[in-house]
């Protein structure tokens, strides 16, 4: 249970150009250093084949559990700010990126705004999200099933563990 005033959220992180692992680690440290956010758990690090637009490099992906006092919109703004500080450039849709930080879930909130849909509408189809998320939140309920249940039906072909430890982000 998060401390009073905090809501437990889950994040998906990924990247496939430059130094994506360092970028993901830097993002997690930036979140953890804030008074209004605490990184509670981080998954193993995964190397994953590109989805959607498949003619690009493999990605690194991971997930994190974050306790935060920010509301969903403020958390989204913060994630986009961190992406921008890390020089993310938004070129083609689904194309290569230095870093991507997605809010997957925010407490039990279900909402649909043009800028933010919770839970993330496609998280339950994506092996590169479900596999890391199952490391740290297998029993989390999303759309009526747990993360572990969604993972059983997901395509995880080609996904490999790149770092077995949950603290790869502290050293990077
Ligand atoms: C048909 C059409 C089937 C589109 C799938 C899937 C589109 C995923 C976009 C899709 C479709 C996405 C990552 C990625 C992207 C990532 C890996 C996306 C957005 N982000 N592949 N592809 N990891 N492995 O973080 O997720 S682009
Ligand atoms: Mg994404
Ligand atoms: Mg994104």
């Amino acid at each position: 249970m998060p401390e009073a005033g905090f809501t437990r959220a889950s994040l998906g992180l990924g990247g496939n150009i430059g130094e994506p692992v360092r970028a993901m680690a830097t993002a997690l440290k930036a979140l953890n250093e804030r008074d209004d956010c605490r990184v509670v758990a981080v998954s193993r690090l995964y190397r994953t084949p590109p989805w959607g637009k498949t003619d690009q490099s493999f990605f690194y992906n991971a997930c994190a559990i974050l306790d935060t006092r920010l509301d969903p919109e403020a958390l989204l703004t913060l994630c986009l700010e961190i992406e921008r500080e890390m020089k993310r450039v938004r070129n083609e849709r689904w194309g290569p990126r230095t870093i991507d930080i997605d809010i997957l879930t925010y407490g039990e909130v279900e909402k649909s705004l043009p800028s933010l849909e919770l839970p993330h509408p496609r998280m339950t189809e994506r092996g590169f999200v479900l596999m890391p998320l199952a490391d740290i939140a297998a029993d989390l309920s999303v759309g009526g099933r747990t993360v572990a249940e969604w993972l059983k039906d997901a395509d995880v072909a080609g996904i490999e563990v790149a770092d077995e430890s949950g603290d790869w982000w502290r050293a990077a």
Side-chain angles (χ1 to χ4, degrees):
M1 275 276 285
E3 193 184 320
F6 284 73
T7 301
R8 187 149 291 180
S10 60
L11 303 179
L13 297 101
N16 70 342
I17 47 175
E19 295 191 79
V21 178
R22 184 188 294 274
M24 290 157 66
T26 303
L28 288 168
K29 285 187 228 174
L31 288 165
N32 200 36
E33 276 163 16
R34 296 173 57 96
D35 292 336
D36 52 12
C37 292
R38 289 178 195 153
V39 173
V40 174
V42 177
S43 72
R44 295 180 292 178
L45 180 68
Y46 291 82
R47 186 171 179 273
T48 66
W51 277 45
K53 189 178 180 303
T54 54
D55 61 335
Q56 57 180 322
S57 304
F58 270 58
F59 280 73
Y60 285 92
N61 284 108
C63 288
I65 303 298
L66 182 78
D67 284 358
T68 181
R69 274 195 300 244
L70 298 173
D71 65 27
E73 290 75 17
L75 180 59
L76 176 63
T77 300
L78 173 60
C79 291
L80 295 174
E81 271 170 17
I82 293 173
E83 286 183 354
R84 189 149 31 84
E85 278 164 17
M86 310 198 59
K87 309 269 187 273
R88 171 159 182 187
V89 180
R90 287 181 180 265
N91 292 322
E92 57 198 311
R93 193 174 187 212
W94 302 342
R97 64 277 304 270
T98 52
I99 187 158
D100 178 37
I101 311 169
D102 293 333
I103 307 175
L104 301 173
T105 63
Y106 180 95
E108 312 268 285
V109 171
E110 293 183 21
K111 74 183 324 170
S112 189
L113 300 173
S115 57
L116 179 61
E117 209 173 329
L118 291 169
H120 189 295
R122 286 165 300 277
M123 65 178 285
T124 55
E125 305 158 10
R126 295 180 180 174
F128 68 81
V129 173
L130 294 169
M131 210 141 131
L133 191 57
D135 283 347
I136 50 175
D139 297 331
L140 178 69
S141 179
V142 183
R145 299 171 83 197
T146 64
V147 168
E149 285 168 343
W150 287 114
L151 176 59
K152 277 190 237 153
D153 293 338
D155 174 8
V156 296
I159 298 180
E160 297 171 4
V161 176
D163 192 317
E164 280 286 352
S165 77
D167 59 4
W168 56 268
W169 60 287
R170 295 190 189 273

